Amino acid sequence: MVAKHLNVALSLGLISVVSMAGCSSNMQEPQTLAQTLETGGELKPLQRHVELKRADLFFDIHPSSKSVTGETTLTLQLSQPQQTLLLDLDNNYEITGLAVAGNQITHFEHSQGQVSIPLPSDIIAGQPFNVTINYAGQPHVAERAPWDGGYVWSTTDSGEPWIATAVQGEGCDLIWPCLDHPTFEPQQTDIRIRVPKGLVAASNGRLIDTTEGDDWSEYHWRSEQSQNNYGIALNIGPYDKLEMTYQSRYGHEYPLVFYYLRGHKQEAKKLFAEFPKQLEFYERVIGPYPFYAEKMGVVQTPHLGMEHQTINAYGQDYKPGKYDFDWLLQHELAHEWFGNQVTNTDWDHMWLHEGFGTYMQPLYGQYLHGDALYHGMMYDQRIGIRNEHPIVSNQPMSEDDVYKPDRGPGSDIYQKGAWVLHTLRNLIGDKAFFAATRKLVYGTTNPEPGNFKPHFADTQYFIDAVNAEVGEDMTWFFEHYLYQAALPELVSERDGEKLTLYFKSTADAPFHLPVEVMVGDKLERVEVSKTPTTIDLESADVHVVLDPNAKILRQQDYVDEYSAFEAQ
């Protein structure tokens, strides 16, 4: 996702406690839906032993009333017996029908964005069963998508409906009945979207078919790989499309598709020309595009952007980039690897999505034009680091907890995460760094099409991958950069022809890095730890520059001062 606006406003919804007879609800009253507007955190007890196998989603979109009629069928399985099932669904929707394993359920509770469903006695652990929910209502409207989640009801310049969803921050329950935690990914997803005739519905996976009624069109999309649940997205508008077949360096081919608003073909063609260039970079540096069996897709949206698996949202209006590429397109494409192929087990490890995703932009600049772009972009990112909370707390976190700077790392999961990776890469070298990165992404250091599938990982998984490649325990490095907020400080003390260097850090773990020192016109490499190291200088007045190529993330007061000024 693009860097989050950190003041996420709560909005109002409805709470309803339902006792159904003939598929009708009997009570609704306004209330703030804190549960609905949160995603992730510690797994709820009633969801800990539930497995999601498949999601079959139907949406009937009514732009004139800004309402939706939907039907969701989830194929679930229990790993141990339980009497109640807990799903998540925003109370803006009224549930009009509910069935479990073909049995109509007439008594259930739908409140605070949660649906509590009594399970029939014939539901057996280890055997799949279906839950079907029919619902209708005016969904939560995103005030400032993608930073505030929900539906976006917009219109094009010609007045036609232009609709999108973006729900990473508040979760899948704003658009469909789901299990609102990042670890619940359907292994197959069918998405059917019915829209007024003349509009196109672009979504995840492959387009299976399109059917037509008198005044409507229905688009059937299917993902046959694990689908990131917050990445399931509806994109509706008067779209035309550009498409081509991409020949991968791995010997296979797959479709590239761009859905753009009619009347913008020339701008769309220019952006579309970047697709194969960016894919070549990612496949060369990281590995195979994960979703080659479906498509690499992008859709023009009325909000800035989001990493919706195989149908990334793009809303930057084709603005030229100062680094010779569209940064938004490149950043959201990064999430197909970091976020969709590998997904964090908990929002506490969100830096695995955003730190790596952010680091891909300077890496791409370096790939295109060399070190000048790389260092310029890294410095831009350095200015935004806040160092107020650790990047990783190692405890369950909601998405809101991570992004709110008063209690979580906020934007540091982006810029600081990227700088941690930059420092690590300089420390262990490209071979080990990119091998560990591939292990994080694919679960193997030798990914080939067909020998990997989407999986979950946390920070320790990446640390273990680094340790395996380096051949030693590198936990100390991450103790200083991920698990505490304050940065290590490189202290230098000058006494005539003597220069003493050491690191100060509040973390207890050892800390030692090679530091480049420019002494006059000579570059020296000094091993520096918490214990002072003294080197001899050629004269008392020789000019000294520490870390002249900015290879180390460290405390620098002048950067903090400028960052605070910019934040005013």
Side-chain angles (χ1 to χ4, degrees):
M1 181 185 175
V2 293
K4 292 264 295 186
H5 176 67
L6 299 174
N7 296 315
V8 181
L10 294 177
S11 56
L12 295 179
L14 294 174
I15 177 172
S16 61
V17 179
V18 181
S19 173
M20 286 192 56
C23 297
S24 62
S25 63
N26 63 5
M27 189 180 86
Q28 290 189 337
E29 60 183 69
Q31 187 162 329
T32 301
L33 293 177
Q35 182 64 49
T36 297
L37 298 178
E38 278 197 354
T39 179
E42 188 170 2
L43 267 176
K44 305 175 188 77
L46 288 176
Q47 295 181 342
R48 290 174 186 166
H49 304 290
V50 180
E51 300 172 15
L52 174 60
K53 300 294 186 180
R54 179 176 171 180
D56 195 323
L57 314 177
F58 170 74
F59 304 89
D60 192 358
I61 307 298
H62 313 290
S64 59
S65 60
K66 298 181 179 179
S67 64
V68 176
T69 304
E71 179 177 286
T72 290
T73 297
L74 303 179
T75 303
L76 305 172
Q77 185 170 302
L78 302 178
S79 61
Q80 69 177 42
Q82 60 186 57
Q83 296 179 330
T84 304
L85 176 68
L86 188 67
L87 299 179
D88 298 285
L89 179 65
D90 187 7
N91 279 78
N92 276 28
Y93 300 108
E94 178 186 0
I95 295 177
T96 58
L98 198 158
V100 177
N103 301 304
Q104 293 296 319
I105 305 297
T106 58
H107 296 279
F108 60 89
E109 182 178 339
H110 182 201
S111 63
Q112 290 293 299
Q114 296 183 328
V115 187
S116 181
I117 306 167
L119 291 176
S121 58
D122 58 353
I123 299 298
I124 300 173
Q127 294 187 6
F129 64 96
N130 288 343
V131 176
T132 299
I133 296 181
N134 296 88
Y135 61 96
Q138 291 184 310
H140 183 82
V141 175
E143 296 181 7
R144 187 172 179 261
W147 300 282
D148 300 304
Y151 270 77
V152 180
W153 304 92
S154 184
T155 55
T156 65
D157 291 342
S158 58
E160 295 171 281
W162 189 17
I163 303 160
T165 61
V167 295
Q168 179 182 333
E170 288 78 14
C172 50
D173 57 328
L174 290 188
I175 62 172
W176 56 284
C178 65
L179 294 133
D180 188 13
H181 190 276
T183 55
F184 288 107
E185 294 188 351
Q187 298 169 25
Q188 178 174 313
T189 308
D190 283 270
I191 305 170
R192 296 172 177 84
I193 308 170
R194 183 173 292 183
V195 297
K197 185 162 283 189
L199 299 180
V200 174
S203 193
N204 314 87
R206 294 183 298 114
L207 182 61
I208 301 302
D209 59 42
T210 304
T211 55
E212 302 286 340
D214 291 339
D215 57 358
W216 54 263
S217 302
E218 186 173 309
Y219 292 80
H220 178 192
W221 294 89
R222 175 177 293 161
S223 295
E224 294 181 327
Q225 301 181 73
S226 295
Q227 169 67 56
N228 188 319
N229 63 20
Y230 72 78
I232 291 174
L234 285 62
N235 304 279
I236 299 157
Y239 291 123
D240 282 334
K241 68 177 177 179
L242 296 167
E243 52 188 333
M244 65 172 288
T245 299
Y246 180 72
Q247 302 294 328
S248 169
R249 62 188 291 105
Y250 291 90
H252 62 291
E253 60 184 33
Y254 51 89
L256 312 186
V257 184
F258 182 29
Y259 287 88
Y260 65 94
L261 290 182
R262 293 171 194 149
H264 294 269
K265 187 173 184 178
Q266 289 308 117
E267 306 100 303
K269 286 175 67 176
K270 184 176 180 181
L271 186 71
F272 192 56
E274 289 197 41
F275 286 26
K277 295 178 183 178
Q278 295 189 12
L279 276 168
E280 169 65 19
F281 161 75
Y282 279 113
E283 291 207 325
R284 183 184 294 271
V285 174
I286 306 301
Y289 175 68
F291 306 104
Y292 57 86
E294 297 170 358
K295 69 179 182 298
M296 181 231 156
V298 178
V299 59
Q300 189 176 354
T301 55
H303 63 84
L304 184 59
M306 179 58 71
E307 63 270 20
H308 296 144
Q309 190 168 310
T310 74
I311 192 68
N312 284 336
Y314 174 84
Q316 196 179 217
D317 298 326
Y318 310 105
K319 296 174 183 176
K322 66 177 180 178
Y323 295 117
D324 192 32
F325 65 94
D326 191 293
W327 73 268
L328 179 64
L329 177 72
Q330 206 268 358
H331 179 83
E332 303 305 349
L333 181 57
H335 284 308
E336 296 285 27
W337 286 262
F338 306 99
N340 297 337
Q341 164 59 27
V342 59
T343 303
N344 53 209
T345 57
D346 185 274
W347 291 111
D348 186 41
H349 304 283
M350 189 62 176
W351 84 280
L352 296 174
H353 296 200
E354 299 299 356
F356 276 96
T358 301
Y359 190 46
M360 292 301 112
Q361 282 80 76
L363 275 181
Y364 189 49
Q366 187 177 43
Y367 175 84
L368 292 176
H369 296 299
D371 290 348
L373 258 65
Y374 177 85
H375 289 300
M377 297 170 76
M378 289 304 302
Y379 186 72
D380 286 348
Q381 293 180 6
R382 177 66 182 85
I383 290 171
I385 296 175
R386 301 169 59 91
N387 300 315
E388 294 178 357
H389 294 272
I391 293 178
V392 180
S393 69
N394 271 336
Q395 62 183 7
M397 298 273 277
S398 71
E399 195 268 359
D400 208 35
D401 288 335
V402 172
Y403 276 102
K404 288 288 183 67
D406 61 336
R407 58 182 184 268
S411 60
D412 274 1
I413 62 175
Y414 295 82
Q415 295 98 322
K416 188 173 182 179
W419 262 87
V420 170
L421 296 172
H422 164 79
T423 305
L424 179 65
R425 179 187 171 204
N426 280 301
L427 176 62
I428 67 177
D430 280 7
K431 182 179 179 180
F433 176 81
F434 287 108
T437 299
R438 280 187 284 276
K439 180 65 183 296
L440 168 70
V441 172
Y442 300 102
T444 175
T445 57
N446 184 34
E448 295 287 340
N451 78 340
F452 63 86
K453 59 183 180 179
H455 73 120
F456 295 98
D458 59 14
T459 300
Q460 188 60 52
Y461 187 96
F462 179 59
I463 295 173
D464 290 343
V466 171
N467 292 345
E469 292 303 317
V470 175
E472 63 179 85
D473 189 352
M474 298 291 294
T475 302
W476 60 267
F477 176 89
F478 299 97
E479 288 284 350
H480 291 269
Y481 282 119
L482 296 182
Y483 300 135
Q484 68 161 20
L487 291 176
E489 179 184 358
L490 177 58
V491 179
S492 65
E493 297 172 349
R494 186 99 175 245
D495 183 8
E497 297 181 1
K498 302 287 186 181
L499 176 66
T500 299
L501 301 174
Y502 60 95
F503 281 106
K504 285 173 56 179
S505 176
T506 57
D508 293 333
F511 190 76
H512 50 90
L513 291 178
V515 177
E516 291 182 345
V517 182
M518 182 65 74
V519 181
D521 58 1
K522 181 182 177 182
L523 186 65
E524 299 186 16
R525 190 172 183 269
V526 182
E527 292 292 333
V528 181
S529 68
K530 290 182 175 181
T531 302
T533 297
T534 300
I535 62 174
D536 294 323
L537 305 176
E538 60 190 49
S539 67
D541 64 348
V542 68
H543 183 59
V544 173
V545 179
L546 303 179
D547 190 26
N549 295 303
K551 293 184 176 181
I552 300 171
L553 176 59
R554 57 193 173 97
Q555 176 58 38
Q556 293 171 292
D557 292 345
Y558 76 93
V559 176
D560 288 348
E561 291 174 6
Y562 183 74
S563 179
F565 167 77
E566 272 212 329
Q568 292 177 354

